[in-house]
Amino acid sequence: MTDPAVIETSPSAGTPDPIHNCPECSLWLPPMTLACPECHTIVYADYLRGLGQLAMSQEQERAWPQARETWQHMLQWLPAGEQSQKVAAHLATIDERIQAGEQRTATWKKRLGPLAPVAFFLLKAKTFLFALLKFKFLLSFFAFFGVYWALFGWKFGLGFAVSILIHEFGHYIAARRRGLKADLPVFLPGLGAYVRWYSMGISLDTLSSIALAGPFAGLLAAAACAGIYFYTKVEFWSALAHAGAWLNLINLVPVLGLDGAQATHALNRMQRGLILAAAILFFASLHEGVFLFIAAGMAWRLFTGTAPESPSSATMIRYTLLLFMLGALMGLMPETMRRF
């Protein structure tokens, strides 16, 4: 699944969706209007807020060139005025920092002479080792595996952990294919996992595609387990297939930080109502209770949040197909998970 608390901004990811009406007074706006002429609201305030948060985090990490790029990008979406002047002044401060750093590097190169390349290599190696110590992927994966090993034995624990790993890599690969920065998955033992990726400025259709890429990868993993079960008749594989399909359906419930919530942003209220009806029909035909949770979540989404001006039909089709295929896969499997 993806966690909206860690979805951040990348200026290289593109531009925000065009806004044609003032967020405050709903006045119609010509293309590329940055401030409402009626109420003077900054039109792309939410987008700018995300950029500002990213720039501050980059400064905390002392990534000054990246921070400068982000602040510079903000100027394109800020109307002329006091705020744009403050950003321009802050950019000048960052330029001074970058220049001072370059001067220090040149000074040390001069002092160290022929030893300078060795010294800078050791400095980079230290930074790399420090990053390895902070690297959570492998450590969190083995901790996650250990929890399910203790609960269900090593075979099911490993298979279940790998199934979730495949789900998370669905998000990771989908984000990287679109040129977005993404971190490797982090596992939360006993709870789940998430992929941190940087997405502000992309379209809602792209956002939903990346969100649904996890359940699609999870579907493929569960289908592979089902195929092995039908070939071998070993019930261990049916347990993995059933558990994997159930878990990915849970991720399609449109609440909190689950994948379904991210995908629902690209749907208008009519499309949400259609998926609600589809979930009820799938429950009636497949008798899987998880569809009631999806239906309840989608009913809640009918009356909460905003709906896009240009909804995504592709997202509705992908969402509905995932519901059907995961539900059908659960229905084909005997419920043998408790044995492992």
Side-chain angles (χ1 to χ4, degrees), residues 9 16 19 23 42-53 200 306:
T9 307
I19 296 177
I42 296 177
V43 176
Y44 293 93
D46 290 340
Y47 178 67
L48 290 166
R49 193 174 297 114
L51 286 174
Q53 291 173 355
M200 184 68 78
T306 59

Side-chain angles (χ1 to χ4, degrees), residues 276-301:
L276 164 62
I280 294 174
L281 288 174
F282 291 152
F283 170 73
S285 59
L286 299 171
H287 307 291
E288 296 290 352
V290 65
F291 285 109
L292 292 180
F293 290 101
I294 295 170
M298 201 59 73
W300 177 64
R301 287 285 179 174

